Amino acid sequence: MAASVWVTDGRPGPASCHDPRVLTDTATLQVVLDVCGVFVFALSGALVAVRRGLDLFGIMVLAWVAGLGGGIIRDVLLGLTPPVGVRDWRLLAAALLAGTLVFLFYGRWSVITERAPEARPRRLATRAVRWLDAAGLALFAVSGAIVALNVDAGPLAATIIGGITATGGGLLRDLLARQVPEVLQRELYALPALAGAAFVVLLDHLDLLSTVTVWLAVALVFGIRVLAVTLDLNAPRALRTPT
Amino acid sequence: MAASVWVTDGRPGPASCHDPRVLTDTATLQVVLDVCGVFVFALSGALVAVRRGLDLFGIMVLAWVAGLGGGIIRDVLLGLTPPVGVRDWRLLAAALLAGTLVFLFYGRWSVITERAPEARPRRLATRAVRWLDAAGLALFAVSGAIVALNVDAGPLAATIIGGITATGGGLLRDLLARQVPEVLQRELYALPALAGAAFVVLLDHLDLLSTVTVWLAVALVFGIRVLAVTLDLNAPRALRTPT
Amino acid sequence: MAASVWVTDGRPGPASCHDPRVLTDTATLQVVLDVCGVFVFALSGALVAVRRGLDLFGIMVLAWVAGLGGGIIRDVLLGLTPPVGVRDWRLLAAALLAGTLVFLFYGRWSVITERAPEARPRRLATRAVRWLDAAGLALFAVSGAIVALNVDAGPLAATIIGGITATGGGLLRDLLARQVPEVLQRELYALPALAGAAFVVLLDHLDLLSTVTVWLAVALVFGIRVLAVTLDLNAPRALRTPT
């Protein structure tokens, strides 16, 4: 029970990822990160669905695919079946909540922002979506690498699977919505994810994986991605409709 | 051998799905349902291929993908490798038979129906395709849920995997044929599948899963879907070519 | 150690595929074939990316998907997780090398060939790409069937998985690049792959699988495919941009 208390404290220590104490720790941490990541990506899927003129059920399907697709691909590649994306109600609830929110509020929001295109709300929303998207990328890259390391997938596999977990949901969303996948167009989209996953692998190799360093890896991906978005103001290319 | 006789009788009983007698029972039942479902969905894939101007081999590929795709995704998600879709010759034969039939008879059929657009044959065919499609959806939703329960995937996973099994083949078909996936456009397409899978999960939980109740679940999905199609006469949207 | 010497000699013998000597033999052989196949298909992915106007990172992603996609699908279908495509650095290096080469030399090559459309370099390049593509198809069909046989997937599954391995990477490439999949349009594309995989299965059944006969199977697929390309000069349809 001492280990449990230690975990609840969330105190970082010199233990490796293979230490059961940290495993429990990162397992709890990971659910939090996964739920947040699913919610954010599901928002993006629902927004794409609305812009494509789909009805409520199409919105829910795209929210589910975008939010849970990356984790499902990750689990299939690692042999963790059935994937957590089809059996954890918390992840499903996060995706459906995102779809419902977009369905309820998108119309009202559009009216406000179209009336005043340069108004503060629109700019705030655009910025919020970008930051949330970057956060989702960061959370999934790190959690993907940790899950892969926990099943001893090896350093290269953990890095690549981190990148796939972070980009897979958006890729499936774009395939279903018939738009050019973002991952092919944004040079600094997959790269920060791969860098963050590689950082997690390095931390694990050095026995430095802890709550603090995991959050550091998330911040690393988030920072690179936000920087890329900020410096790339003329070509946002986010959620593009097909030409 | 008594169990075998019992199974051959197909008599429903108070045994749960985890009872080997019912497992054998549903295994036999499931092959029948799967072969029928593969055939029906393969017909839809072959028809899409013909309308896209593909040659014989393209027809066969789309028939195979549409007919077997859902089951292959189901087995990959459940860790049942190699999937039954690549190793059971009966399923393969059903898909190729559907492709061959469409290749041989579509031209002749088109001549008849184009000459008299309002003739009885065309209306009969359209209705038949819709009913067969609804039957495929029903069969795959139920068999998907049963397979998932048989490997102890849990109630939520069994429900969602039933829905994925029923809609996955059509989704792959639409992706390859570059048309907007049906599952995004028909609000009452995936929903009856999920409802049927959930009904199977409920039956299993109540120890009421038997040949009779399995067929009841199939009828439930089929009925909802046919009702949705019947009430939606102005917007059939079946097998649409892309805009 | 005698077995190891025997393997290094590469001498064919009457041993079956399940003989550890031949398994080691084909394992070494397979890495060579896989690396070559990945390189060739990655070239095709990178070329598609360049023609779609993607940047360096888009080229790398499509090279990776086209080169490694088929093998990853193969391993997922066989339950070999994590797939070799995400954990073997040699395969990854082959894909990235192909992407880099296309990025560096495509511009220069285009200038030469556009200045003199009928010049020798262009014809040589077109012929080289076709032969390399046929070689990739042959290598992956055979290695896919061998991997499937090594995990006792059964003859039908080994044949179909050989065909999927050979065509899967190109399929994913075309889906991401939003062009009509080649496998749907070229009648003699998937068929030689299936024939080669079936030939490998037959050899294994007859206990005739050896280094020599494996190369014979590769030559068979390559020969049929090159013949099909040579006789189909008016409709090459290779690397088409979407209409």
mmCIF file with all atom_site columns, all heavy atoms in Angstrom, chain B residues 55 57-58 76 81-83 86 89 175-176 178, chain C residues 76-77 79 157 175 178 180-181 184 187 190-191 242:
data_model
loop_
_atom_site.group_PDB
_atom_site.id
_atom_site.type_symbol
_atom_site.label_atom_id
_atom_site.label_alt_id
_atom_site.label_comp_id
_atom_site.label_asym_id
_atom_site.label_entity_id
_atom_site.label_seq_id
_atom_site.pdbx_PDB_ins_code
_atom_site.Cartn_x
_atom_site.Cartn_y
_atom_site.Cartn_z
_atom_site.occupancy
_atom_site.B_iso_or_equiv
_atom_site.pdbx_formal_charge
_atom_site.auth_seq_id
_atom_site.auth_comp_id
_atom_site.auth_asym_id
_atom_site.auth_atom_id
_atom_site.pdbx_PDB_model_num
ATOM 1   N N   . ASP B 1 55  ? -12.890 -2.532  -64.393 1.00 0.00 ? 55  ASP B N   1
ATOM 2   C CA  . ASP B 1 55  ? -12.953 -3.782  -65.154 1.00 0.00 ? 55  ASP B CA  1
ATOM 3   C C   . ASP B 1 55  ? -13.234 -4.967  -64.223 1.00 0.00 ? 55  ASP B C   1
ATOM 4   O O   . ASP B 1 55  ? -13.494 -4.792  -63.031 1.00 0.00 ? 55  ASP B O   1
ATOM 5   C CB  . ASP B 1 55  ? -11.656 -3.996  -65.934 1.00 0.00 ? 55  ASP B CB  1
ATOM 6   C CG  . ASP B 1 55  ? -10.461 -4.027  -64.996 1.00 0.00 ? 55  ASP B CG  1
ATOM 7   O OD1 . ASP B 1 55  ? -10.646 -4.300  -63.802 1.00 0.00 ? 55  ASP B OD1 1
ATOM 8   O OD2 . ASP B 1 55  ? -9.341  -3.770  -65.461 1.00 0.00 ? 55  ASP B OD2 1
ATOM 9   N N   . PHE B 1 57  ? -11.416 -7.181  -62.817 1.00 0.00 ? 57  PHE B N   1
ATOM 10  C CA  . PHE B 1 57  ? -10.619 -7.360  -61.617 1.00 0.00 ? 57  PHE B CA  1
ATOM 11  C C   . PHE B 1 57  ? -10.937 -6.314  -60.558 1.00 0.00 ? 57  PHE B C   1
ATOM 12  O O   . PHE B 1 57  ? -10.974 -6.618  -59.363 1.00 0.00 ? 57  PHE B O   1
ATOM 13  C CB  . PHE B 1 57  ? -9.125  -7.373  -61.934 1.00 0.00 ? 57  PHE B CB  1
ATOM 14  C CG  . PHE B 1 57  ? -8.372  -8.044  -60.841 1.00 0.00 ? 57  PHE B CG  1
ATOM 15  C CD1 . PHE B 1 57  ? -8.373  -9.428  -60.742 1.00 0.00 ? 57  PHE B CD1 1
ATOM 16  C CD2 . PHE B 1 57  ? -7.741  -7.306  -59.858 1.00 0.00 ? 57  PHE B CD2 1
ATOM 17  C CE1 . PHE B 1 57  ? -7.728  -10.058 -59.694 1.00 0.00 ? 57  PHE B CE1 1
ATOM 18  C CE2 . PHE B 1 57  ? -7.094  -7.937  -58.808 1.00 0.00 ? 57  PHE B CE2 1
ATOM 19  C CZ  . PHE B 1 57  ? -7.082  -9.314  -58.732 1.00 0.00 ? 57  PHE B CZ  1
ATOM 20  N N   . GLY B 1 58  ? -11.211 -5.081  -60.998 1.00 0.00 ? 58  GLY B N   1
ATOM 21  C CA  . GLY B 1 58  ? -11.635 -4.048  -60.052 1.00 0.00 ? 58  GLY B CA  1
ATOM 22  C C   . GLY B 1 58  ? -12.931 -4.422  -59.359 1.00 0.00 ? 58  GLY B C   1
ATOM 23  O O   . GLY B 1 58  ? -13.107 -4.183  -58.159 1.00 0.00 ? 58  GLY B O   1
ATOM 24  N N   . VAL B 1 76  ? -9.196  -8.364  -36.485 1.00 0.00 ? 76  VAL B N   1
ATOM 25  C CA  . VAL B 1 76  ? -7.967  -7.666  -36.102 1.00 0.00 ? 76  VAL B CA  1
ATOM 26  C C   . VAL B 1 76  ? -8.169  -6.959  -34.767 1.00 0.00 ? 76  VAL B C   1
ATOM 27  O O   . VAL B 1 76  ? -7.298  -7.008  -33.891 1.00 0.00 ? 76  VAL B O   1
ATOM 28  C CB  . VAL B 1 76  ? -7.551  -6.670  -37.209 1.00 0.00 ? 76  VAL B CB  1
ATOM 29  C CG1 . VAL B 1 76  ? -6.520  -5.686  -36.703 1.00 0.00 ? 76  VAL B CG1 1
ATOM 30  C CG2 . VAL B 1 76  ? -7.010  -7.429  -38.411 1.00 0.00 ? 76  VAL B CG2 1
ATOM 31  N N   . THR B 1 81  ? -6.175  -13.657 -35.258 1.00 0.00 ? 81  THR B N   1
ATOM 32  C CA  . THR B 1 81  ? -5.376  -13.625 -36.484 1.00 0.00 ? 81  THR B CA  1
ATOM 33  C C   . THR B 1 81  ? -4.916  -15.030 -36.845 1.00 0.00 ? 81  THR B C   1
ATOM 34  O O   . THR B 1 81  ? -4.608  -15.810 -35.955 1.00 0.00 ? 81  THR B O   1
ATOM 35  C CB  . THR B 1 81  ? -4.165  -12.704 -36.292 1.00 0.00 ? 81  THR B CB  1
ATOM 36  O OG1 . THR B 1 81  ? -3.440  -13.126 -35.139 1.00 0.00 ? 81  THR B OG1 1
ATOM 37  C CG2 . THR B 1 81  ? -4.605  -11.274 -36.154 1.00 0.00 ? 81  THR B CG2 1
ATOM 38  N N   . PRO B 1 82  ? -4.791  -15.348 -38.174 1.00 0.00 ? 82  PRO B N   1
ATOM 39  C CA  . PRO B 1 82  ? -5.260  -14.511 -39.285 1.00 0.00 ? 82  PRO B CA  1
ATOM 40  C C   . PRO B 1 82  ? -6.780  -14.458 -39.332 1.00 0.00 ? 82  PRO B C   1
ATOM 41  O O   . PRO B 1 82  ? -7.442  -15.423 -38.946 1.00 0.00 ? 82  PRO B O   1
ATOM 42  C CB  . PRO B 1 82  ? -4.703  -15.217 -40.515 1.00 0.00 ? 82  PRO B CB  1
ATOM 43  C CG  . PRO B 1 82  ? -4.454  -16.613 -40.094 1.00 0.00 ? 82  PRO B CG  1
ATOM 44  C CD  . PRO B 1 82  ? -4.172  -16.588 -38.628 1.00 0.00 ? 82  PRO B CD  1
ATOM 45  N N   . PRO B 1 83  ? -7.340  -13.330 -39.797 1.00 0.00 ? 83  PRO B N   1
ATOM 46  C CA  . PRO B 1 83  ? -8.794  -13.163 -39.814 1.00 0.00 ? 83  PRO B CA  1
ATOM 47  C C   . PRO B 1 83  ? -9.481  -14.232 -40.655 1.00 0.00 ? 83  PRO B C   1
ATOM 48  O O   . PRO B 1 83  ? -8.912  -14.727 -41.630 1.00 0.00 ? 83  PRO B O   1
ATOM 49  C CB  . PRO B 1 83  ? -8.979  -11.780 -40.453 1.00 0.00 ? 83  PRO B CB  1
ATOM 50  C CG  . PRO B 1 83  ? -7.681  -11.102 -40.299 1.00 0.00 ? 83  PRO B CG  1
ATOM 51  C CD  . PRO B 1 83  ? -6.646  -12.169 -40.351 1.00 0.00 ? 83  PRO B CD  1
ATOM 52  N N   . VAL B 1 86  ? -9.614  -14.052 -44.547 1.00 0.00 ? 86  VAL B N   1
ATOM 53  C CA  . VAL B 1 86  ? -8.537  -14.436 -45.465 1.00 0.00 ? 86  VAL B CA  1
ATOM 54  C C   . VAL B 1 86  ? -8.264  -15.939 -45.442 1.00 0.00 ? 86  VAL B C   1
ATOM 55  O O   . VAL B 1 86  ? -7.406  -16.415 -46.182 1.00 0.00 ? 86  VAL B O   1
ATOM 56  C CB  . VAL B 1 86  ? -7.212  -13.685 -45.176 1.00 0.00 ? 86  VAL B CB  1
ATOM 57  C CG1 . VAL B 1 86  ? -7.420  -12.186 -45.205 1.00 0.00 ? 86  VAL B CG1 1
ATOM 58  C CG2 . VAL B 1 86  ? -6.598  -14.116 -43.859 1.00 0.00 ? 86  VAL B CG2 1
ATOM 59  N N   . TRP B 1 89  ? -12.495 -20.366 -47.166 1.00 0.00 ? 89  TRP B N   1
ATOM 60  C CA  . TRP B 1 89  ? -12.782 -20.327 -48.611 1.00 0.00 ? 89  TRP B CA  1
ATOM 61  C C   . TRP B 1 89  ? -14.259 -20.059 -48.888 1.00 0.00 ? 89  TRP B C   1
ATOM 62  O O   . TRP B 1 89  ? -14.611 -19.554 -49.956 1.00 0.00 ? 89  TRP B O   1
ATOM 63  C CB  . TRP B 1 89  ? -12.334 -21.627 -49.277 1.00 0.00 ? 89  TRP B CB  1
ATOM 64  C CG  . TRP B 1 89  ? -13.141 -22.823 -48.861 1.00 0.00 ? 89  TRP B CG  1
ATOM 65  C CD1 . TRP B 1 89  ? -12.867 -23.674 -47.836 1.00 0.00 ? 89  TRP B CD1 1
ATOM 66  C CD2 . TRP B 1 89  ? -14.360 -23.277 -49.451 1.00 0.00 ? 89  TRP B CD2 1
ATOM 67  N NE1 . TRP B 1 89  ? -13.839 -24.621 -47.737 1.00 0.00 ? 89  TRP B NE1 1
ATOM 68  C CE2 . TRP B 1 89  ? -14.769 -24.412 -48.719 1.00 0.00 ? 89  TRP B CE2 1
ATOM 69  C CE3 . TRP B 1 89  ? -15.149 -22.845 -50.517 1.00 0.00 ? 89  TRP B CE3 1
ATOM 70  C CZ2 . TRP B 1 89  ? -15.933 -25.115 -49.019 1.00 0.00 ? 89  TRP B CZ2 1
ATOM 71  C CZ3 . TRP B 1 89  ? -16.313 -23.541 -50.812 1.00 0.00 ? 89  TRP B CZ3 1
ATOM 72  C CH2 . TRP B 1 89  ? -16.692 -24.668 -50.065 1.00 0.00 ? 89  TRP B CH2 1
ATOM 73  N N   . LEU B 1 175 ? -14.201 4.203   -49.349 1.00 0.00 ? 175 LEU B N   1
ATOM 74  C CA  . LEU B 1 175 ? -12.876 4.828   -49.374 1.00 0.00 ? 175 LEU B CA  1
ATOM 75  C C   . LEU B 1 175 ? -12.153 4.481   -50.673 1.00 0.00 ? 175 LEU B C   1
ATOM 76  O O   . LEU B 1 175 ? -11.609 5.353   -51.338 1.00 0.00 ? 175 LEU B O   1
ATOM 77  C CB  . LEU B 1 175 ? -12.039 4.358   -48.179 1.00 0.00 ? 175 LEU B CB  1
ATOM 78  C CG  . LEU B 1 175 ? -12.320 5.000   -46.830 1.00 0.00 ? 175 LEU B CG  1
ATOM 79  C CD1 . LEU B 1 175 ? -11.387 4.435   -45.777 1.00 0.00 ? 175 LEU B CD1 1
ATOM 80  C CD2 . LEU B 1 175 ? -12.129 6.518   -46.916 1.00 0.00 ? 175 LEU B CD2 1
ATOM 81  N N   . LEU B 1 176 ? -12.160 3.199   -51.050 1.00 0.00 ? 176 LEU B N   1
ATOM 82  C CA  . LEU B 1 176 ? -11.458 2.781   -52.262 1.00 0.00 ? 176 LEU B CA  1
ATOM 83  C C   . LEU B 1 176 ? -12.115 3.345   -53.507 1.00 0.00 ? 176 LEU B C   1
ATOM 84  O O   . LEU B 1 176 ? -11.434 3.715   -54.459 1.00 0.00 ? 176 LEU B O   1
ATOM 85  C CB  . LEU B 1 176 ? -11.411 1.246   -52.355 1.00 0.00 ? 176 LEU B CB  1
ATOM 86  C CG  . LEU B 1 176 ? -10.122 0.608   -51.852 1.00 0.00 ? 176 LEU B CG  1
ATOM 87  C CD1 . LEU B 1 176 ? -9.978  0.808   -50.370 1.00 0.00 ? 176 LEU B CD1 1
ATOM 88  C CD2 . LEU B 1 176 ? -10.090 -0.855  -52.193 1.00 0.00 ? 176 LEU B CD2 1
ATOM 89  N N   . ARG B 1 178 ? -13.660 6.079   -53.629 1.00 0.00 ? 178 ARG B N   1
ATOM 90  C CA  . ARG B 1 178 ? -13.597 7.535   -53.516 1.00 0.00 ? 178 ARG B CA  1
ATOM 91  C C   . ARG B 1 178 ? -14.979 8.168   -53.527 1.00 0.00 ? 178 ARG B C   1
ATOM 92  O O   . ARG B 1 178 ? -15.211 9.150   -54.235 1.00 0.00 ? 178 ARG B O   1
ATOM 93  C CB  . ARG B 1 178 ? -12.714 8.106   -54.614 1.00 0.00 ? 178 ARG B CB  1
ATOM 94  C CG  . ARG B 1 178 ? -11.290 7.586   -54.550 1.00 0.00 ? 178 ARG B CG  1
ATOM 95  C CD  . ARG B 1 178 ? -10.481 7.982   -55.756 1.00 0.00 ? 178 ARG B CD  1
ATOM 96  N NE  . ARG B 1 178 ? -10.225 9.399   -55.774 1.00 0.00 ? 178 ARG B NE  1
ATOM 97  C CZ  . ARG B 1 178 ? -10.111 10.118  -56.899 1.00 0.00 ? 178 ARG B CZ  1
ATOM 98  N NH1 . ARG B 1 178 ? -10.277 9.542   -58.049 1.00 0.00 ? 178 ARG B NH1 1
ATOM 99  N NH2 . ARG B 1 178 ? -9.840  11.378  -56.848 1.00 0.00 ? 178 ARG B NH2 1
ATOM 100 N N   . VAL C 1 76  ? 0.019   -7.192  -39.022 1.00 0.00 ? 76  VAL C N   1
ATOM 101 C CA  . VAL C 1 76  ? -1.192  -7.030  -38.207 1.00 0.00 ? 76  VAL C CA  1
ATOM 102 C C   . VAL C 1 76  ? -2.160  -8.178  -38.474 1.00 0.00 ? 76  VAL C C   1
ATOM 103 O O   . VAL C 1 76  ? -2.740  -8.755  -37.539 1.00 0.00 ? 76  VAL C O   1
ATOM 104 C CB  . VAL C 1 76  ? -1.854  -5.665  -38.480 1.00 0.00 ? 76  VAL C CB  1
ATOM 105 C CG1 . VAL C 1 76  ? -3.274  -5.627  -37.942 1.00 0.00 ? 76  VAL C CG1 1
ATOM 106 C CG2 . VAL C 1 76  ? -1.027  -4.549  -37.864 1.00 0.00 ? 76  VAL C CG2 1
ATOM 107 N N   . LEU C 1 77  ? -2.320  -8.564  -39.747 1.00 0.00 ? 77  LEU C N   1
ATOM 108 C CA  . LEU C 1 77  ? -3.232  -9.662  -40.083 1.00 0.00 ? 77  LEU C CA  1
ATOM 109 C C   . LEU C 1 77  ? -2.742  -10.981 -39.500 1.00 0.00 ? 77  LEU C C   1
ATOM 110 O O   . LEU C 1 77  ? -3.536  -11.876 -39.209 1.00 0.00 ? 77  LEU C O   1
ATOM 111 C CB  . LEU C 1 77  ? -3.380  -9.792  -41.604 1.00 0.00 ? 77  LEU C CB  1
ATOM 112 C CG  . LEU C 1 77  ? -4.132  -8.666  -42.313 1.00 0.00 ? 77  LEU C CG  1
ATOM 113 C CD1 . LEU C 1 77  ? -4.168  -8.914  -43.807 1.00 0.00 ? 77  LEU C CD1 1
ATOM 114 C CD2 . LEU C 1 77  ? -5.547  -8.530  -41.763 1.00 0.00 ? 77  LEU C CD2 1
ATOM 115 N N   . GLY C 1 79  ? -0.946  -11.166 -36.674 1.00 0.00 ? 79  GLY C N   1
ATOM 116 C CA  . GLY C 1 79  ? -0.748  -11.052 -35.233 1.00 0.00 ? 79  GLY C CA  1
ATOM 117 C C   . GLY C 1 79  ? 0.705   -10.911 -34.829 1.00 0.00 ? 79  GLY C C   1
ATOM 118 O O   . GLY C 1 79  ? 1.053   -11.156 -33.675 1.00 0.00 ? 79  GLY C O   1
ATOM 119 N N   . ALA C 1 157 ? -4.913  -18.530 -46.617 1.00 0.00 ? 157 ALA C N   1
ATOM 120 C CA  . ALA C 1 157 ? -4.520  -17.292 -45.947 1.00 0.00 ? 157 ALA C CA  1
ATOM 121 C C   . ALA C 1 157 ? -3.153  -16.818 -46.439 1.00 0.00 ? 157 ALA C C   1
ATOM 122 O O   . ALA C 1 157 ? -2.935  -15.621 -46.652 1.00 0.00 ? 157 ALA C O   1
ATOM 123 C CB  . ALA C 1 157 ? -4.503  -17.494 -44.433 1.00 0.00 ? 157 ALA C CB  1
ATOM 124 N N   . LEU C 1 175 ? -4.746  6.017   -51.315 1.00 0.00 ? 175 LEU C N   1
ATOM 125 C CA  . LEU C 1 175 ? -5.794  6.566   -50.454 1.00 0.00 ? 175 LEU C CA  1
ATOM 126 C C   . LEU C 1 175 ? -5.361  7.912   -49.882 1.00 0.00 ? 175 LEU C C   1
ATOM 127 O O   . LEU C 1 175 ? -6.106  8.887   -49.925 1.00 0.00 ? 175 LEU C O   1
ATOM 128 C CB  . LEU C 1 175 ? -6.108  5.605   -49.300 1.00 0.00 ? 175 LEU C CB  1
ATOM 129 C CG  . LEU C 1 175 ? -6.994  4.407   -49.609 1.00 0.00 ? 175 LEU C CG  1
ATOM 130 C CD1 . LEU C 1 175 ? -7.209  3.585   -48.356 1.00 0.00 ? 175 LEU C CD1 1
ATOM 131 C CD2 . LEU C 1 175 ? -8.339  4.865   -50.160 1.00 0.00 ? 175 LEU C CD2 1
ATOM 132 N N   . ARG C 1 178 ? -5.192  10.567  -52.430 1.00 0.00 ? 178 ARG C N   1
ATOM 133 C CA  . ARG C 1 178 ? -6.509  10.790  -53.014 1.00 0.00 ? 178 ARG C CA  1
ATOM 134 C C   . ARG C 1 178 ? -6.520  10.537  -54.516 1.00 0.00 ? 178 ARG C C   1
ATOM 135 O O   . ARG C 1 178 ? -7.055  11.321  -55.286 1.00 0.00 ? 178 ARG C O   1
ATOM 136 C CB  . ARG C 1 178 ? -6.999  12.216  -52.697 1.00 0.00 ? 178 ARG C CB  1
ATOM 137 C CG  . ARG C 1 178 ? -7.112  12.448  -51.199 1.00 0.00 ? 178 ARG C CG  1
ATOM 138 C CD  . ARG C 1 178 ? -7.393  13.881  -50.875 1.00 0.00 ? 178 ARG C CD  1
ATOM 139 N NE  . ARG C 1 178 ? -8.716  14.269  -51.296 1.00 0.00 ? 178 ARG C NE  1
ATOM 140 C CZ  . ARG C 1 178 ? -9.038  15.495  -51.715 1.00 0.00 ? 178 ARG C CZ  1
ATOM 141 N NH1 . ARG C 1 178 ? -8.123  16.422  -51.791 1.00 0.00 ? 178 ARG C NH1 1
ATOM 142 N NH2 . ARG C 1 178 ? -10.252 15.782  -52.061 1.00 0.00 ? 178 ARG C NH2 1
ATOM 143 N N   . VAL C 1 180 ? -7.313  7.260   -57.505 1.00 0.00 ? 180 VAL C N   1
ATOM 144 C CA  . VAL C 1 180 ? -7.959  5.957   -57.621 1.00 0.00 ? 180 VAL C CA  1
ATOM 145 C C   . VAL C 1 180 ? -6.890  4.870   -57.438 1.00 0.00 ? 180 VAL C C   1
ATOM 146 O O   . VAL C 1 180 ? -5.868  4.885   -58.110 1.00 0.00 ? 180 VAL C O   1
ATOM 147 C CB  . VAL C 1 180 ? -8.626  5.795   -58.999 1.00 0.00 ? 180 VAL C CB  1
ATOM 148 C CG1 . VAL C 1 180 ? -9.265  4.426   -59.121 1.00 0.00 ? 180 VAL C CG1 1
ATOM 149 C CG2 . VAL C 1 180 ? -9.676  6.868   -59.204 1.00 0.00 ? 180 VAL C CG2 1
ATOM 150 N N   . PRO C 1 181 ? -7.100  3.952   -56.491 1.00 0.00 ? 181 PRO C N   1
ATOM 151 C CA  . PRO C 1 181 ? -6.092  2.919   -56.237 1.00 0.00 ? 181 PRO C CA  1
ATOM 152 C C   . PRO C 1 181 ? -5.733  2.139   -57.497 1.00 0.00 ? 181 PRO C C   1
ATOM 153 O O   . PRO C 1 181 ? -6.603  1.714   -58.249 1.00 0.00 ? 181 PRO C O   1
ATOM 154 C CB  . PRO C 1 181 ? -6.778  2.021   -55.207 1.00 0.00 ? 181 PRO C CB  1
ATOM 155 C CG  . PRO C 1 181 ? -7.755  2.900   -54.523 1.00 0.00 ? 181 PRO C CG  1
ATOM 156 C CD  . PRO C 1 181 ? -8.232  3.864   -55.570 1.00 0.00 ? 181 PRO C CD  1
ATOM 157 N N   . LEU C 1 184 ? -7.263  -1.275  -58.308 1.00 0.00 ? 184 LEU C N   1
ATOM 158 C CA  . LEU C 1 184 ? -8.600  -1.361  -58.893 1.00 0.00 ? 184 LEU C CA  1
ATOM 159 C C   . LEU C 1 184 ? -8.564  -1.188  -60.409 1.00 0.00 ? 184 LEU C C   1
ATOM 160 O O   . LEU C 1 184 ? -9.523  -1.516  -61.095 1.00 0.00 ? 184 LEU C O   1
ATOM 161 C CB  . LEU C 1 184 ? -9.506  -0.276  -58.306 1.00 0.00 ? 184 LEU C CB  1
ATOM 162 C CG  . LEU C 1 184 ? -9.899  -0.426  -56.846 1.00 0.00 ? 184 LEU C CG  1
ATOM 163 C CD1 . LEU C 1 184 ? -10.764 0.745   -56.423 1.00 0.00 ? 184 LEU C CD1 1
ATOM 164 C CD2 . LEU C 1 184 ? -10.636 -1.731  -56.617 1.00 0.00 ? 184 LEU C CD2 1
ATOM 165 N N   . GLU C 1 187 ? -5.635  -4.738  -64.182 1.00 0.00 ? 187 GLU C N   1
ATOM 166 C CA  . GLU C 1 187 ? -6.103  -6.106  -63.986 1.00 0.00 ? 187 GLU C CA  1
ATOM 167 C C   . GLU C 1 187 ? -4.956  -7.080  -63.743 1.00 0.00 ? 187 GLU C C   1
ATOM 168 O O   . GLU C 1 187 ? -5.106  -8.086  -63.075 1.00 0.00 ? 187 GLU C O   1
ATOM 169 C CB  . GLU C 1 187 ? -6.966  -6.557  -65.159 1.00 0.00 ? 187 GLU C CB  1
ATOM 170 C CG  . GLU C 1 187 ? -6.259  -6.672  -66.489 1.00 0.00 ? 187 GLU C CG  1
ATOM 171 C CD  . GLU C 1 187 ? -6.151  -5.327  -67.176 1.00 0.00 ? 187 GLU C CD  1
ATOM 172 O OE1 . GLU C 1 187 ? -6.425  -4.290  -66.543 1.00 0.00 ? 187 GLU C OE1 1
ATOM 173 O OE2 . GLU C 1 187 ? -5.774  -5.307  -68.342 1.00 0.00 ? 187 GLU C OE2 1
ATOM 174 N N   . ALA C 1 190 ? -2.691  -7.174  -59.198 1.00 0.00 ? 190 ALA C N   1
ATOM 175 C CA  . ALA C 1 190 ? -2.844  -8.053  -58.033 1.00 0.00 ? 190 ALA C CA  1
ATOM 176 C C   . ALA C 1 190 ? -2.776  -9.521  -58.443 1.00 0.00 ? 190 ALA C C   1
ATOM 177 O O   . ALA C 1 190 ? -2.336  -10.370 -57.656 1.00 0.00 ? 190 ALA C O   1
ATOM 178 C CB  . ALA C 1 190 ? -4.165  -7.772  -57.324 1.00 0.00 ? 190 ALA C CB  1
ATOM 179 N N   . LEU C 1 191 ? -3.183  -9.812  -59.664 1.00 0.00 ? 191 LEU C N   1
ATOM 180 C CA  . LEU C 1 191 ? -3.234  -11.211 -60.086 1.00 0.00 ? 191 LEU C CA  1
ATOM 181 C C   . LEU C 1 191 ? -1.857  -11.893 -60.084 1.00 0.00 ? 191 LEU C C   1
ATOM 182 O O   . LEU C 1 191 ? -1.737  -13.003 -59.544 1.00 0.00 ? 191 LEU C O   1
ATOM 183 C CB  . LEU C 1 191 ? -3.884  -11.299 -61.472 1.00 0.00 ? 191 LEU C CB  1
ATOM 184 C CG  . LEU C 1 191 ? -4.828  -12.474 -61.710 1.00 0.00 ? 191 LEU C CG  1
ATOM 185 C CD1 . LEU C 1 191 ? -5.861  -12.600 -60.612 1.00 0.00 ? 191 LEU C CD1 1
ATOM 186 C CD2 . LEU C 1 191 ? -5.498  -12.357 -63.059 1.00 0.00 ? 191 LEU C CD2 1
ATOM 187 N N   . PRO C 1 242 ? -5.405  12.215  -60.103 1.00 0.00 ? 242 PRO C N   1
ATOM 188 C CA  . PRO C 1 242 ? -6.861  12.012  -60.157 1.00 0.00 ? 242 PRO C CA  1
ATOM 189 C C   . PRO C 1 242 ? -7.502  12.938  -61.177 1.00 0.00 ? 242 PRO C C   1
ATOM 190 O O   . PRO C 1 242 ? -7.014  14.030  -61.463 1.00 0.00 ? 242 PRO C O   1
ATOM 191 C CB  . PRO C 1 242 ? -7.318  12.359  -58.752 1.00 0.00 ? 242 PRO C CB  1
ATOM 192 C CG  . PRO C 1 242 ? -6.279  13.293  -58.246 1.00 0.00 ? 242 PRO C CG  1
ATOM 193 C CD  . PRO C 1 242 ? -4.987  12.867  -58.865 1.00 0.00 ? 242 PRO C CD  1
#
